[in-house]
């Protein structure tokens, strides 16, 4: 139980910290790209106009139509930045992500998942704890895998089985390492 709780909190904080750093790094890169684009719009407006015209032509507008639309867009610096961010960089400036929100969600998801195998130990299920832990974990893996497969239009039974196999492999490795270092896990 103690090892499970320690793993739960260590893993949850680790996942949250990793998610926070990852999202902050990604956001920093996006903000840097937006700042570069803002500079380009100010310092090289003709080149940016041509670039936008080419983007619109690639989307099927005639050269004349693309020029008209691009000129209207470029007339407003904020609209121009927003448009170039979306069209050239593939970014939505209003949705760069929240590092704290992602970290919190990752923390909660990890805690939720980690509680499943330690619940029988928390509930003091005695000799049945190990078997219940394995059974609950397998059921949770099947449910999560099947649900994700269903949501993505994939074969439900294969999604559940794939998740069960991956989780089973991870549990086997964890159990093996615990046994090797002398920590009884069962």
């Amino acid at each position: 139980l103690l090892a499970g709780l320690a793993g739960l909190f260590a893993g949850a904080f680790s996942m949250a910290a990793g998610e926070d750093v990852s999202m902050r790094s990604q956001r920093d890169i996006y903000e840097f790209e937006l700042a570069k684009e803002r500079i380009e719009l100010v310092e090289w407006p003709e080149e940016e106009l041509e670039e936008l015209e080419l983007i619109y032509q690639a989307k099927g507008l005639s050269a004349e139509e693309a020029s008209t639309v691009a000129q209207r867009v470029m007339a407003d610096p904020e609209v121009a930045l927003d448009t170039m961010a979306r069209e050239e960089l593939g970014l939505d400036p209003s949705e760069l992500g929240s590092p704290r929100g992602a970290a919190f969600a990752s923390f909660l998801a990890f805690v939720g998942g980690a509680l499943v195998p330690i619940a029988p130990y928390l509930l003091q299920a005695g000799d049945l704890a190990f078997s219940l832990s394995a059974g609950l974990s397998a059921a949770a893996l099947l449910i999560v895998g099947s649900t994700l497969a269903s949501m993505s239009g994939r074969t439900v039974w294969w999604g559940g089985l794939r998740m069960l196999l991956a989780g089973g492999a991870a549990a086997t490795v964890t159990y093996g390492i615990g046994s090797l270092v002398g920590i009884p896990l069962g």
Side-chain angles (χ1 to χ4, degrees), residues 8-131:
L8 180 152
F9 286 109
F13 281 110
S14 175
M15 292 296 290
E19 192 69 34
D20 182 75
V21 169
S22 173
M23 286 293 295
R24 283 186 194 282
S25 299
Q26 179 180 332
R27 189 177 179 107
D28 288 347
I29 290 168
Y30 291 164
E31 288 173 347
F32 176 74
E33 290 297 321
L34 287 171
K36 278 186 3 185
E37 193 61 42
R38 185 182 304 277
I39 291 168
E40 290 172 7
L41 285 165
V42 170
E43 294 188 11
W44 301 287
E46 297 82 19
E47 289 84 353
E48 292 298 295
L49 177 64
E50 280 182 40
E51 200 173 330
L52 192 55
E53 288 173 355
L54 291 173
I55 289 170
Y56 287 137
Q57 286 176 26
K59 290 182 179 261
L61 272 65
S62 69
E64 186 179 309
E65 292 169 328
S67 177
T68 301
V69 172
Q71 287 177 17
R72 286 187 183 155
V73 167
M74 297 297 276
D76 183 335
E78 288 306 311
V79 171
L81 178 61
D82 184 79
T83 302
M84 293 303 283
R86 292 172 193 273
E87 299 294 341
E88 182 183 3
L89 304 175
L91 298 176
D92 181 348
S94 65
E95 294 184 17
L96 297 182
S98 165
R100 282 194 180 127
F104 185 68
S106 184
F107 181 90
L108 288 180
F110 192 94
V111 168
L115 280 174
V116 172
I118 65 170
Y121 296 97
L122 285 170
L123 299 173
Q124 300 177 352
D127 293 339
L128 291 176
F130 184 79
S131 297

